[in-house]
Amino acid sequence: MKKNLSVLLSLVVFASILLAACGGGTVATEAPVVTEAPVVATEAPAATEAPAACAPAGTEPIAFPDGGKSVTGAWSQEPDNIVPFYTQMSYAVWIAQLTLVGLAEWDDQGNFVAELAADLPTADNGGVSADGLTITWKLQPCLFWSDGEPLTSADVKFTWESVVNPANAPLSRVGYEKITSIDTPDDQTVVLHFSELYPGWQTLFTQGPNNQGSILPKHILDGQTGLESNAFIHNPNIGSGPFVIVDWVAGDHMTLLPNPNFHSGRAKLDQVQIKFVPDPETALAALQTGDVDWYPDFSEGDIETVSALEPAIHLYVKPGSDFEHYFFNLGTTAGVDGKGISDVDGFCPFKDINVRKAITLGINRQAFVDSLLSGKTTVPATQWPNSGWTNSSLTADAYNPEEAAKLLDAAGYKVGADGIRVGDCNGTKTKLSFNFETTTKQIRVDIALAVQSDLGKIGIEFKPIHTPAGTFFAGYTDGGNMPLGKYDMAGYTTGFYPDPMTGVLDSFACDTIPNKDKPSGTNNYHLCDPKLDVLLAAVNASADPAIRKTALDALQQYIFDQYYVIMAYARANVYGMVDRFVPAPFGFFSNLNWNAELWDVK
């Protein structure tokens, strides 16, 4: 059993090594231009007095000194919330990496490393029990929040309690709901008891760019419910990361100052500012004028444009496992065997696999990769691109409008006088005319126009709607169309890593479909398929990577065969930075922000 647990502990590193080996499939080189550059809270209860030798360095963010070192980043999406349990927006999670950290994180090489924890739990150090159901974390001694209050095991337990509390509506409880209890025998010890084996335990209470794990301050939030609407969740002005938010002017900027009590010591920079801009084009112009120092989210199609600006602006490209995809609203108010009930029925024709397949075949995905993305990426077959976890036996369907038309004819949808196909769907005359929702990002606008043209050729009316990201990614309780099921088809970027099941249950399980009785959940596909649930469970039934790989291959094959999603293209993280900005080493799994305390300027 101990050997199997060692396999479990090596899982993330195993995936990272395979990812690195496969990364060249997205761009020609990892860095084609340069090598790596080196609210009103309730009154807090009285805290337990810390030992004399264990005192906070301060209780307020460190003021910006005259002549201090400052950098400014451009954000083309303004966060909706900052605490990751209540947002699915990457731009928000990047701020969380700067301000609210977890027990561990992923470094620039994709290795799992301790953060607030003193070390990582292993079978050898007693951190992982023989049956794999008990995980023991040891926190570093003398940890403090930015306001000087002790950061202890009680905060970790409170974080779990807040996530599983039905009076709160986090976007996901996956993994956390597998914990039956948490013991805190002392301020530095956290003992997690699981109801069943959960191979992805490393993604819980740990903060990366793609998992929810920020530790929350009990002394600020204790006793409060409805946290999805809490002012602190939107704008946490007390934190545990290298920086603290001190100013946020909506639509304009955010200012962060150093946390005096950051566990690794004071950040090198004296200030970080985030300037909110409408789009990547504005960010690029600001880089060229020197108004901002970096932008974290250029598209693959911008690589040639940004690289031409050397040496004033440097380009960094990090291939990875994110992907842009289109998907169908498969919601049903009837549910499936009493599970997976949605508030709204999805567009009826999408329930027909032949319609889904026809739409997939009717989009010339390789053409917009070649033309709009400069051929710098690929059309993947599955949701695990550029990863050792991908089912390599699968190949993305090629553009085939003739076959698409035949499938639609066979499904009973004939071209009408207006050029739009119409047919019978559950006894109702239905046109193949539907809305497609995504953000205002220019590359998404351009690709949607290409898709509109392609589908128009086979008699489908595809109507793009572009919504600001803060609204598009809104949760159920904030009136978001995706969780509410008030959309036909949608598209955005996501990814399933660092554990290969990170976010997968959230996306595909029947139990994670949000509705009025259970607003938590991020199954935005509103897809409930009992066979899929069985395949999902099989991947997490073992800690052995080889067994998980076989189960994951079967899962990928099934999703592929059912045409549940349309894979648009594999993503890479594309950054542009002025020469004066000196980031620390970073990678795809870590993102730029994992070690912001080491950022500097020339």
Side-chain angles (χ1 to χ4, degrees), residues 39-43 220-221 224 230-232 235 237:
V39 173
V40 180
T42 56
E43 183 176 351
I220 297 295
L221 297 172
Q224 301 185 50
N230 189 281
F232 181 88
N235 185 2
N237 52 5

Side-chain angles (χ1 to χ4, degrees), residues 52-81:
C54 187
T59 60
E60 297 288 341
I62 300 171
F64 184 63
D66 291 339
K69 297 188 291 185
S70 178
V71 297
T72 300
W75 252 230
S76 57
Q77 295 178 16
E78 185 168 1
D80 48 358
N81 290 313

Side-chain angles (χ1 to χ4, degrees), residues 190-385:
V190 182
V191 185
L192 312 179
H193 299 283
F194 286 83
S195 60
E196 60 188 70
L197 186 68
Y198 187 66
W201 63 264
Q202 292 141 318
T203 63
L204 306 179
F205 306 105
T206 58
Q207 188 56 54
N210 198 48
N211 61 291
Q212 303 163 325
S214 295
I215 305 304
L216 302 181
K218 180 178 181 180
H219 70 285
I220 297 295
L221 297 172
D222 195 19
Q224 301 185 50
T225 55
L227 294 186
E228 64 277 3
S229 302
N230 189 281
F232 181 88
I233 299 300
H234 172 69
N235 185 2
N237 52 5
I238 291 167
S240 55
F243 295 96
V244 182
I245 300 170
V246 296
D247 182 40
W248 184 349
V249 177
D252 190 70
H253 74 276
M254 178 187 292
T255 302
L256 302 95
L257 294 177
N259 175 1
N261 302 314
F262 182 55
H263 69 89
S264 291
R266 186 196 190 285
K268 289 185 177 182
L269 291 175
D270 299 304
Q271 179 175 264
V272 172
Q273 288 197 313
I274 305 297
K275 186 176 181 63
F276 303 124
V277 299
D279 48 51
E281 293 71 31
T282 304
L284 180 59
L287 277 172
Q288 291 176 281
T289 60
D291 290 331
V292 301
D293 297 299
W294 91 96
Y295 178 66
D297 196 26
F298 286 114
S299 78
E300 293 75 6
D302 296 319
I303 289 175
E304 292 182 4
T305 300
V306 178
S307 63
L309 300 175
E310 284 285 345
I313 297 173
H314 301 311
L315 173 71
Y316 294 82
V317 179
K318 302 293 179 181
S321 295
D322 279 334
F323 55 87
E324 182 84 357
H325 71 318
Y326 285 11
F327 53 90
F328 311 94
N329 179 355
L330 297 173
T332 168
T333 56
V336 180
D337 298 330
K339 300 171 62 178
I341 295 173
S342 296
D343 292 340
V344 179
D345 283 317
F347 186 54
C348 181
F350 293 161
K351 307 297 171 60
D352 187 334
I353 186 175
N354 287 320
V355 173
R356 300 195 300 270
K357 181 175 181 179
I359 293 172
T360 303
L361 297 179
I363 300 173
N364 194 344
R365 294 173 287 171
Q366 189 60 50
F368 61 65
V369 163
D370 292 339
S371 61
L372 298 176
L373 298 171
S374 304
K376 298 295 184 181
T377 184
T378 59
V379 178
T382 86
Q383 294 77 51
W384 287 263

Side-chain angles (χ1 to χ4, degrees), residues 81-107 111-117 120 137 159 163 176 200-216 240-242 262-263 497-498 502 588-595:
N81 290 313
I82 297 299
V83 175
F85 296 110
Y86 297 92
T87 180
Q88 56 185 330
M89 187 189 298
S90 295
Y91 284 82
V93 176
W94 297 339
I95 296 291
Q97 285 185 282
L98 300 178
T99 58
L100 290 166
V101 297
L103 298 179
E105 59 186 342
W106 282 263
D107 70 10
N111 300 312
F112 190 48
V113 295
E115 173 80 297
L116 295 174
L120 300 177
W137 287 92
T159 301
V163 170
Y176 292 96
W201 63 264
Q202 292 141 318
T203 63
L204 306 179
F205 306 105
T206 58
Q207 188 56 54
N210 198 48
N211 61 291
Q212 303 163 325
S214 295
I215 305 304
L216 302 181
S240 55
F262 182 55
H263 69 89
Y497 61 91
T502 300
F588 178 80
F589 274 16
S590 67
N591 197 273
L592 173 69
N593 309 298
W594 82 282
N595 54 4

Side-chain angles (χ1 to χ4, degrees), residues 305-542:
T305 300
V306 178
S307 63
L309 300 175
E310 284 285 345
I313 297 173
H314 301 311
L315 173 71
Y316 294 82
V317 179
K318 302 293 179 181
S321 295
D322 279 334
F323 55 87
E324 182 84 357
H325 71 318
Y326 285 11
F327 53 90
F328 311 94
N329 179 355
L330 297 173
T332 168
T333 56
V336 180
D337 298 330
K339 300 171 62 178
I341 295 173
S342 296
D343 292 340
V344 179
D345 283 317
F347 186 54
C348 181
F350 293 161
K351 307 297 171 60
D352 187 334
I353 186 175
N354 287 320
V355 173
R356 300 195 300 270
K357 181 175 181 179
I359 293 172
T360 303
L361 297 179
I363 300 173
N364 194 344
R365 294 173 287 171
Q366 189 60 50
F368 61 65
V369 163
D370 292 339
S371 61
L372 298 176
L373 298 171
S374 304
K376 298 295 184 181
T377 184
T378 59
V379 178
T382 86
Q383 294 77 51
W384 287 263
N386 295 320
S387 167
W389 295 103
T390 193
N391 184 335
S392 57
S393 69
L394 300 175
T395 302
D397 290 288
Y399 178 52
N400 192 337
E402 294 79 14
E403 178 64 19
K406 291 178 182 178
L407 288 168
L408 294 175
D409 287 339
Y413 293 94
K414 307 299 182 180
V415 178
D418 59 359
I420 303 171
R421 290 179 180 268
V422 62
D424 179 90
C425 193
N426 289 346
T428 302
K429 186 177 180 180
T430 306
K431 275 190 172 186
L432 286 186
S433 173
F434 52 85
N435 294 332
F436 168 76
E437 301 191 32
T438 188
T439 71
T440 56
K441 192 172 183 178
Q442 189 60 49
I443 191 64
R444 290 189 172 128
V445 174
D446 295 340
I447 289 177
L449 288 174
V451 172
Q452 183 180 51
S453 175
D454 286 344
L455 294 182
K457 295 172 185 176
I458 58 173
I460 293 176
E461 186 176 34
F462 176 89
K463 299 180 291 185
I465 298 173
H466 298 282
T467 305
T471 302
F472 177 76
F473 287 111
Y476 188 99
T477 56
D478 293 321
N481 280 350
M482 285 190 294
L484 287 169
K486 295 181 178 180
Y487 75 96
D488 296 328
M489 193 173 182
Y492 59 82
T493 289
T494 190
F496 301 143
Y497 61 91
D499 182 89
M501 287 296 284
T502 300
V504 180
L505 290 170
D506 295 322
S507 298
F508 287 107
C510 289
D511 288 340
T512 59
I513 294 176
N515 58 45
K516 63 181 184 301
D517 297 321
K518 187 178 65 64
S520 293
T522 55
N523 182 338
N524 289 327
Y525 314 140
H526 292 259
L527 164 64
C528 180
D529 181 338
K531 183 173 181 179
L532 192 56
D533 271 3
V534 172
L535 292 168
L536 291 166
V539 184
N540 273 346
S542 173

